[in-house]
Every structure is written in C-alpha cells, then in structure tokens.
Amino acid sequence: EALEKVEKKSVQDTLLGKAYHLLGNCLYYLYEEKEAINYYQKSIGSKEKVYPDSHIEIIKSLRNIGNCYNFLDEIALAQQYFQRCLDLSLKNKVVPNEMLLDIYTDLGFCYAQLDDFNKAEEYLATALDLTQANFPDDVKRLITILDSRYFMYERQEAHEKMIETAKQSLTLA
C-alpha cells in the first residue's frame, strides 16, 4: 500500500509538471513571458520530485525559462539558464542531439548579445559542426545557426563575414 501511494504521487507530480509546462507554453505564445516563467518554475518543482535534475523534461522547462528571459531582453539571466541546460545536458547521456544543438545555438546568440564574441563564436561553431555532422539535411536548424552568426558579425560590424554568412545561408535555401 505504501508503494502504491508513492507511485500514485509520482504520477500526480509528473502530470502536474506537464500541465504547468503546457500552461507556460501557452503564456509564452501569448507574450506573457513573466507569467510563463512562473509556470515553468512550478513545472520544474513538480518534475524534480520525480526525475533527476538532468532529466530531459527538466531541461526543457529550464530552456524555456531561458527563452523567456531572452525575449524579455534579460540576456544575462537567459545565458545563465542556457548554461545550466548545457551543463545538465552534458551530464545526461540521453538528451536528444537536437536539443543539445539548440542549447549551443541559444548560448551563442546570448553571448553575441552580450558582446562576448569569442564565446559566441565558440558556441555557434560547435552548434554548426554538430549539426553538419549529425543532421546535415536539417536546413531550418542550419539557417538558425547561421542567422545567429550573422547577428554576431553585424554587432561586430564585420561586413565581409556578414556577406560570407549570408551566402552560406543562400546555398541552403
């Protein structure tokens, strides 16, 4: 009977975590980022009762919080959440490669916004290399990475690199 109660509580926490996450998504799509963050945090609280901290479901909520902060132009906070996602993803061997690539891209874009161009280039180059090696036909993901790289070069006023990056994107279209 005690085991049944534990299992029932785990199922409830899992469902509650999923519901909070979905509410966060709805609010994010309605441009209510601050409220979305609240629900993503509640989602994490429920999921942490069931999953280890490096579980994909927790990483998804953390990444969404980072995206909210990025949208709110609170780039340093976004960067912290994306870095936590990367650290947990590397700790967790079962994270899908697609999410890991997106996290590298997110971090590269954040560092470009923070004018830390060396780190931005490092993360974007990693995202591009991993995408080309593992998902060479994923044009949308490749263009997203190149768009972030273009943004970085634009902030640096590196016009030749902007042109080169734009030409790379054209070859994918």
Side-chain angles (χ1 to χ4, degrees), residues 18-165:
K18 180 75 170 172
Y20 282 140
H21 187 90
L22 292 174
L23 278 168
N25 287 349
C26 291
L27 291 162
Y28 179 81
Y29 294 129
L30 292 171
Y31 303 103
E32 297 289 337
E33 292 81 10
K34 289 184 180 184
E35 194 63 26
I37 290 168
N38 182 40
Y39 281 99
Y40 290 135
Q41 288 172 333
K42 287 181 179 183
S43 174
I44 291 167
S46 292
K47 293 173 185 178
E48 285 177 333
K49 294 175 184 175
V50 182
Y51 302 125
D53 65 350
S54 62
H55 192 276
I56 185 75
E57 292 301 320
I58 292 173
I59 295 169
K60 284 179 187 178
S61 293
L62 289 168
R63 182 167 177 256
N64 286 357
I65 292 171
N67 284 324
C68 288
Y69 281 124
N70 193 34
F71 194 83
L72 291 167
D73 206 30
E74 295 184 39
I75 308 308
L77 279 172
Q79 180 273 326
Q80 289 173 17
Y81 275 90
F82 294 141
Q83 186 63 54
R84 186 169 171 206
C85 290
L86 179 62
D87 294 344
L88 292 172
S89 295
L90 295 175
K91 176 181 169 183
N92 182 0
K93 305 291 187 227
V94 296
V95 172
N97 281 336
E98 293 94 337
M99 180 176 280
L100 184 61
L101 299 174
D102 292 341
I103 293 167
Y104 276 112
T105 304
D106 295 337
L107 277 165
F109 188 71
C110 279
Y111 280 115
Q113 290 175 290
L114 295 169
D115 293 335
D116 188 339
F117 302 119
N118 289 331
K119 281 190 176 181
E121 180 59 40
E122 176 187 331
Y123 285 110
L124 292 172
T126 300
L128 189 60
D129 291 345
L130 289 172
T131 302
Q132 289 172 331
N134 296 290
F135 303 98
D137 298 326
D138 192 340
V139 174
K140 181 181 178 196
R141 183 167 277 111
L142 289 166
I143 288 177
T144 298
I145 297 165
L146 291 173
D147 283 348
S148 294
R149 187 176 258 178
Y150 181 92
F151 171 79
M152 176 186 67
Y153 293 141
E154 185 176 38
R155 289 183 67 88
Q156 293 174 302
E157 297 182 9
H159 300 108
E160 292 299 320
K161 289 183 177 182
M162 289 168 63
I163 292 168
E164 180 184 318
T165 303

